[in-house]
Every structure is written in C-alpha cells, then in structure tokens.
Amino acid sequence: MDESTDLTGQLLDLSLGYLKSAALHAAAHWRIADLLADGPRSADDLAAEAGLNGPHLARLLRYLAGQGVFRQEEDGRFALTPLAELLREDAPGSMRAYVDVRGEDIFWRAAAGMHEAVRTGGNPFEDIFGMPFYRYLSANRELGVQFDASMASFSEALSDEVAESYDFGGASTVVDVGGGRGGQLRAILRRHAHLEGTLLDLEPVVAGHVLDVPELAGRWRAEGGDFFSAVPEGGDVYLLKHVLASWPDEKCVQLLEVCRRAMPDDGRLLVVNALVPEGNEPHPGKTMDMLMLTVLNGKGRTRAEYEELLRKAGLVPGRVLDVSPHASIVEATKG
C-alpha cells in the first residue's frame, strides 16, 4: 500500500467517525455488556433476550470488535474486552450511563451545527433549541436526571484520584461548588476523616445526592442554590470540579468572584479541569473543547487561560497538580 492510499484510508476513517459513536451508543443503550457478564454468547442469543434483531446486532458487534470494544471468538460468539467491561452497569468506574446519554439526539444535532458555529461564533445548541443547555435540562427533567447520573459516572472515575492527589491538611471544611450529586465530596470526606463538607448545586440536582452514607454521618450538608448568586461562606477549601469549562469567560469570572467573597483570607480555591496542552498530540481536553463549542458556551482552556481567569477575579494562581489527562488541579488563594 502506497502512502497516498494509506492517507486516504485514514481520512475516510475520520470522516466516518460518527459511526463509531453511534455503534457504541447503541451497545450501551441496549446494555449488551451486561448480557455478556457471564461469558461469550451468540448474537442471536443476545438478541432474543434483549428483544433485538439478531443479524443487525451481529453486524454491530462485529464492527465494535474491530474497534476493540467486544471480541468475536472463533466460533462466532461475542465476549467482553476491557473496554466493554466499562459498559457494564455494575462495573467499577462504569461509563455506561455517560455513553448512553451522549447518544441522545440533542448532542448529535448540536454537533451537526459545528460548521455554522465556526462561521458565526455562535452556539449550535442554543441556535437549534432556542435556550441554553442547562435550561433545556431543567425543562426536560427526565433527560436532566439521566444527564446528572451520566456526569456522576464520569466524575466518579476521577474522584478518588483528586481526593488522593491534594493535601487537605490544615483545612477543616470543604465547599464543593457545582458538585452535582456529591461523588467528589464523598470521596474527599472518606479519605480525609478530619474534614466536613458542604455540597452546593441546583436544588433538583442535590436532591439526588450520594452523601448519606453511614461513615460520613454528621460531616456533610447539601444546599440547593444558584452559585452565580452566592456560595456558603467561611470554607477553608472551595472546589470547582468540571464547572468552569461549561461557561464563557465572563461567567467564570463572575463565579470566581462569588467564591472569593465567601472565602476567608487564608482560604484556598481549587479549579479541577482538563488543561489543554500545546502541540499537535490528541488530548481529552481538546475533545471536550469541541463538546463545549457545540453544546455549551464554555470551552477547554490552557493553564495560562485558567490562571488569567483567576487573576481577573482577584485571586492569585498557585501550584498545578496534574492528576490525569482528564483533570488537573489549579490552586488559588486570595493573596
């Protein structure tokens, strides 16, 4: 194969990348990985249990097996791979809910508007649905609940790493701002027994919190509220995990200013997000930036860009801890 043919194949594969996403979403939606938990099975067997079409399911699984998701045995049956294990509902670090929700047509339709967004600088989601993403979720609560659960599953995989990576010594209280259902706060409180914590997010979100576990009794409280208006005062550490990437610069500065006013003079603020690196290598931060471009008015940011937001809010950027490609911790103080 000459180089031109190989390059053509690469470009063709990229242009049809949406088929990979669609196939993965279908497998997650029909919970195929759960049906394979006890060992290899034929597509017809799986289809009979799931109420699906056997020949079509076989083609889907054969395609995904070529991507490393599932494996086809010599006898034609299909089995789990390490990637497919993450699609099981009860697997540690399960991503099934996240993958399933990202198959909703609101994401596909927004992505299809990317070419127009590049021309106008607008937001495809708002152009199509006539309202911001989070307002849409509030108006469509069933989808909103599914989305909250999907974010919790994605965040859960990082929660222990974040809790382990940062030294909470010298602190007694943590305020998790925009912390969803509280998975990250739960991980921090479990690992650091001297801490107490407060979870703040919109009322419908915190209503499904996961903090009410025996080992954390008496060490937490959950509050519903708008973090652009106010956050609980007097915390030693304020945490913003996977929050700022969802908002444009001016809203980020507004939120950071609200946190700064609530912080004591010796308080600390932690911004946890993927940092977009320089260079041409693929990176999760660059992928999430495209999701932000099409669905939200936020964006992926470099370390320098996050530090500039902190300075605009009157905060002093400090050290940066690289936890994983999906999350770095940028520390800030009042100076």
Side-chain angles (χ1 to χ4, degrees), residues 177 226-231 240 243-244 247-263 269 301 308-315:
V177 179
D226 176 7
F227 54 48
F228 287 115
S229 299
V231 300
L240 291 166
V243 174
L244 296 187
W247 300 97
D249 288 354
E250 61 272 17
K251 297 296 286 186
C252 289
V253 172
Q254 179 184 345
L255 173 54
L256 291 169
E257 288 175 339
V258 170
C259 291
R260 185 184 185 281
R261 288 195 294 269
M263 293 167 58
L269 183 140
R301 294 179 174 90
E308 181 61 20
L309 291 179
L310 291 166
R311 292 189 186 96
K312 286 182 178 179
L315 293 161

Side-chain angles (χ1 to χ4, degrees), residues 4-61:
S4 62
T5 302
D6 185 45
L7 291 175
T8 299
Q10 290 181 41
L11 200 59
L12 180 64
D13 187 57
L14 283 170
S15 73
L16 296 176
Y18 63 91
L19 294 176
K20 298 177 185 179
S21 299
L24 189 63
H25 296 314
H29 181 78
W30 295 114
R31 300 173 185 266
I32 302 302
D34 289 326
L35 300 180
L36 289 171
D38 293 329
R41 297 174 66 178
S42 70
D44 285 340
D45 188 26
L46 292 167
E49 182 169 349
L52 306 175
N53 179 277
H56 273 37
L57 180 60
R59 293 162 67 184
L60 177 82
L61 295 179

Side-chain angles (χ1 to χ4, degrees), residues 21-22 24-26 97-108:
S21 299
L24 189 63
H25 296 314
Y98 187 92
V99 172
D100 187 20
V101 169
R102 295 318 179 278
E104 294 289 336
D105 74 327
I106 59 172
F107 294 100
W108 292 93

Side-chain angles (χ1 to χ4, degrees), residues 166 170-171 234-238 263-269 332-335:
Y166 187 75
D236 296 313
V237 177
Y238 285 77
M263 293 167 58
D265 289 342
D266 59 351
R268 292 171 276 170
L269 183 140
T333 62
K334 296 181 82 167

Side-chain angles (χ1 to χ4, degrees), residues 211-234:
L211 296 170
D212 195 8
V213 293
E215 66 264 39
L216 302 185
R219 296 174 52 208
W220 61 270
R221 60 192 178 99
E223 294 186 13
D226 176 7
F227 54 48
F228 287 115
S229 299
V231 300
E233 297 184 353

Side-chain angles (χ1 to χ4, degrees), residues 181-227:
R181 302 197 303 177
Q184 180 61 73
L185 183 59
R186 182 180 61 184
I188 290 172
L189 296 181
R190 278 176 166 168
R191 182 168 287 276
H192 304 278
H194 67 287
L195 292 174
E196 295 183 358
T198 299
L199 173 67
L200 176 74
D201 212 312
L202 296 175
E203 185 64 45
V205 178
V206 298
H209 72 77
V210 296
L211 296 170
D212 195 8
V213 293
E215 66 264 39
L216 302 185
R219 296 174 52 208
W220 61 270
R221 60 192 178 99
E223 294 186 13
D226 176 7
F227 54 48

Side-chain angles (χ1 to χ4, degrees), residues 44-91:
D44 285 340
D45 188 26
L46 292 167
E49 182 169 349
L52 306 175
N53 179 277
H56 273 37
L57 180 60
R59 293 162 67 184
L60 177 82
L61 295 179
R62 179 180 63 186
Y63 174 67
L64 286 173
Q67 309 300 322
V69 185
F70 304 109
R71 182 182 69 254
Q72 189 167 23
E73 310 284 15
E74 291 185 1
D75 61 6
R77 296 182 301 165
F78 291 93
L80 294 174
T81 63
L83 274 178
E85 286 281 357
L86 290 176
L87 293 178
R88 290 180 53 190
E89 187 71 42
D90 61 352

